[in-house]
C-alpha cells in the first residue's frame, strides 16, 4: 500500500491520520533518518494534507485544489 504514491510510510501515516482526526497534532515534528529515504517527499505531502481545508479524512489525502 502507498499513501499519495509514497511507499513505506503507511504506519506513520496512520498515526498522523489518527492524531488529525482527534485534533491532536503537535505544533512541530522532527523527521530524521538516512539520506534518500523520502523524508522531504513525505513532509511535503503531509503538509499539503494537514493544511488542506477539504481533505478526505478517510484516505487522509488533500483535495488538490487548496493553495
Amino acid at each position: 500500500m502507498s499513501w499519495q504514491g509514497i511507499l513505506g510510510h503507511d504506519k506513520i501515516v496512520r498515526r498522523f491520520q489518527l492524531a488529525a482526526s482527534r485534533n491532536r497534532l503537535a505544533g512541530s515534528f522532527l523527521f530524521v533518518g538516512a539520506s534518500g529515504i523520502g523524508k522531504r517527499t513525505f513532509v511535503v505531502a503531509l503538509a499539503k494534507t494537514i493544511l488542506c481545508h477539504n481533505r478526505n479524512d478517510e484516505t487522509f489525502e488533500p483535495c488538490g485544489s487548496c493553495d
Side-chain angles (χ1 to χ4, degrees):
M1 184 176 167
S2 70
W3 174 70
Q4 297 190 39
I6 303 170
L7 299 174
H9 297 293
D10 297 330
K11 184 177 178 180
I12 193 68
V13 169
R14 284 191 295 275
R15 292 179 74 183
F16 275 107
Q17 184 176 22
L18 181 61
S21 72
R22 295 178 176 174
N23 291 320
R24 302 286 297 167
L25 287 169
S28 61
F29 301 97
L30 181 62
F31 292 85
V32 297
S35 179
I37 62 170
K39 293 183 299 289
R40 182 181 307 229
T41 301
F42 181 84
V43 168
V44 170
L46 180 63
K48 288 179 182 179
T49 302
I50 289 173
L51 297 173
C52 179
H53 297 287
N54 303 304
R55 79 169 167 253
N56 182 331
D57 288 328
E58 280 187 37
T59 61
F60 198 58
E61 295 194 13
C63 68
S65 300
C66 295
D67 291 336

